[in-house]
């Protein structure tokens, strides 16, 4: 199974920036769809950003113009650049990647993995 390791969370003041990263392990052939979700206390999980391998990215209305999702195929890492953070952005952020990996004896297998979550806290 492909494991995703997240980092970059922390506590910041409103108006500051943070960059989250999500790095995949194992033998990765391709990343087909990359996503970032978040879940605030007492609220449902929210899709924040989506980056298809062969399409344009999309964002939730609440973060459009402030957040940017990007990727690095060389290191199999997905990033979320968060600018002008607001108190409402406080949540646990999770990355999700769908793709293909090298399985046993050279077979190509699909994967759909999630990161462990990283806390982002924004103070007014």
């Amino acid at each position: 199974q492909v494991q995703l390791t997240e980092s970059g969370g922390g506590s910041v003041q409103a108006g500051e920036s943070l960059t989250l990263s999500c790095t995949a392990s194992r033998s990765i052939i391709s990343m087909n769809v990359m996503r970032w979700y978040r879940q605030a206390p007492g609220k449902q999980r929210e899709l924040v950003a989506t980056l298809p391998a062969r399409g344009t990215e999309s964002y939730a209305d609440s973060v459009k113009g402030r957040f940017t999702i990007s990727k690095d195929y060389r290191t199999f890492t997905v990033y979320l650049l968060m600018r002008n953070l607001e108190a409402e952005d406080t949540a646990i952020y999770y990355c999700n990647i769908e793709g293909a990996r090298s399985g046993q004896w050279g077979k190509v297998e699909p994967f759909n993995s999630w990161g462990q979550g990283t806390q982002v806290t924004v103070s007014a």
Side-chain angles (χ1 to χ4, degrees), residues 33-69:
V33 184
M34 295 137 278
R35 301 182 180 93
W36 283 97
Y37 291 84
R38 69 184 181 187
Q39 187 166 24
K43 298 183 179 180
Q44 295 184 356
R45 182 188 298 176
E46 175 188 20
L47 177 62
V48 175
T50 303
L51 179 60
R54 301 184 184 278
T56 58
E57 68 268 31
S58 61
Y59 301 93
D61 289 341
S62 58
V63 307
K64 188 177 180 64
R66 299 187 296 118
F67 289 13
T68 303
I69 184 173

Side-chain angles (χ1 to χ4, degrees), residues 18-38:
L18 279 175
T19 299
L20 307 182
S21 64
C22 174
T23 301
S25 66
R26 305 288 181 173
S27 298
I28 303 299
I29 296 176
S30 64
M31 299 189 297
N32 297 331
V33 184
M34 295 137 278
R35 301 182 180 93
W36 283 97
Y37 291 84
R38 69 184 181 187

Side-chain angles (χ1 to χ4, degrees), residues 47-101:
L47 177 62
V48 175
T50 303
L51 179 60
R54 301 184 184 278
T56 58
E57 68 268 31
S58 61
Y59 301 93
D61 289 341
S62 58
V63 307
K64 188 177 180 64
R66 299 187 296 118
F67 289 13
T68 303
I69 184 173
S70 61
K71 63 182 181 296
D72 185 343
Y73 283 134
R74 180 181 61 84
T75 61
F76 294 105
T77 301
V78 182
Y79 300 95
L80 184 67
L81 171 59
M82 304 181 292
R83 300 186 181 93
N84 194 25
L85 283 162
E86 304 170 352
E88 292 74 18
D89 297 319
T90 296
I92 301 176
Y93 285 72
Y94 301 90
C95 64
N96 168 243
I97 302 178
E98 298 180 38
R101 68 179 183 90

